[in-house]
């Protein structure tokens, strides 16, 4: 696949995440009772950035956990014969909390569904919301994000690549296609 477009720079990502942080605070009337669960891999650093933004805005530290959804995927056998399973790291209670699941891209909605299933093993949250940096459309399930950094209409044969400093050494969002 070849690069078709640079969709977001590091600065664009920073601005989008800051806006999303404000939206999360507005909708939830502050950061009390709020926790963030980043979906491995790139959802985790994005969740940490949202938490840092909330700390800068409200002065409240919002806990961030890491959610591994591998075993909850409905396409597990298609993804790999021997999937790599990492453990989730949720070192706090989510029972009765407002949980914001954080991911880099929403596409079919299947990852979000798996994250809902995975998060339920930690208890019953009062409310679960979804924050994504990029919404590319093409939902196969009735799931939508509550907070979106950028909507990018794509075709099914295109691919969105989110790059984060912590994993890729660079930040940005790119669109690839044929």
């Amino acid at each position: 696949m070849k690069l078709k477009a640079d969709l977001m720079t590091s600065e664009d990502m920073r601005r989008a995440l800051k806006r999303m942080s404000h939206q999360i605070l507005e909708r939830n009337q502050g950061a009390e009772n709020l926790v963030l669960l980043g979906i491995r891999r790139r959802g985790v650093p994005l969740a940490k950035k949202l938490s840092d933004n909330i700390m800068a805005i409200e002065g409240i530290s919002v806990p961030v956990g890491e959610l591994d959804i591998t075993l909850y995927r409905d396409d597990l056998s298609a993804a790999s014969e021997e999937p790599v399973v990492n453990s989730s790291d949720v070192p706090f209670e989510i029972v009765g909390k407002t949980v914001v699941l954080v991911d880099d891209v929403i596409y079919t909605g299947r990852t979000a569904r798996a994250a809902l299933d995975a998060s339920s093993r930690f208890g019953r949250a009062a409310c679960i919301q979804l924050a994504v940096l990029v919404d590319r459309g093409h939902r196969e399930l009735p799931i939508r994000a509550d907070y979106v950094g950028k909507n990018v209409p794509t075709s099914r044969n295109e691919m969105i690549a989110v790059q984060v400093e912590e994993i890729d050494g660079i930040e940005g969002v790119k669109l690839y296609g044929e």
Side-chain angles (χ1 to χ4, degrees):
M1 296 190 118
K2 67 178 181 181
L3 178 66
K4 290 179 81 173
D6 284 312
L7 300 175
M8 296 177 88
T9 64
S10 176
E11 185 61 23
D12 295 332
M13 287 175 63
R14 187 192 65 73
R15 274 193 301 273
L17 290 167
K18 191 166 201 171
R19 178 177 36 78
M20 291 167 65
S21 301
H22 280 284
Q23 291 171 340
I24 290 168
L25 290 169
E26 280 182 40
R27 179 166 178 188
N28 295 293
Q29 287 111 36
E32 302 299 327
N33 214 37
L34 189 67
V35 298
L36 303 173
L37 292 181
I39 300 171
R40 286 193 199 242
R41 278 192 71 199
R42 287 171 180 79
V44 174
L46 295 175
K48 289 178 181 171
K49 290 175 196 307
L50 289 171
S51 179
D52 291 346
N53 289 343
I54 290 170
M55 173 60 109
I57 297 164
E58 292 280 312
I60 296 173
S61 178
V62 175
V64 177
E66 300 181 14
L67 199 59
D68 183 9
I69 63 159
T70 306
L71 294 178
Y72 297 89
R73 296 188 60 92
D74 61 3
D75 63 350
L76 186 60
S77 60
S80 173
E81 286 188 31
E82 293 184 35
V84 176
V85 178
N86 299 299
S87 63
S88 292
D89 181 17
V90 183
F92 47 81
E93 282 289 321
I94 72 165
V95 174
K97 302 279 187 184
T98 297
V99 174
V100 180
L101 299 173
V102 182
D103 203 6
D104 56 350
V105 177
I106 187 167
Y107 179 38
T108 62
R110 293 183 182 280
T111 296
R113 190 218 35 92
L116 287 167
D117 290 346
S119 66
S120 70
R121 80 175 241 237
F122 295 100
R124 188 170 191 266
C127 175
I128 299 179
Q129 301 168 0
L130 178 61
V132 298
L133 184 62
V134 178
D135 183 341
R136 63 170 290 192
H138 303 287
R139 223 65 84 239
E140 294 175 0
L141 299 172
I143 292 174
R144 75 170 172 80
D146 298 280
Y147 313 101
V148 178
K150 185 176 184 82
N151 285 292
V152 181
T154 62
S155 70
R156 288 195 180 270
N157 62 351
E158 292 175 319
M159 185 186 89
I160 300 274
V162 173
Q163 298 169 309
V164 292
E165 185 71 38
E166 298 83 346
I167 295 172
D168 307 297
I170 188 171
E171 286 193 335
V173 179
K174 298 181 181 319
L175 174 67
Y176 292 91
E178 299 173 356

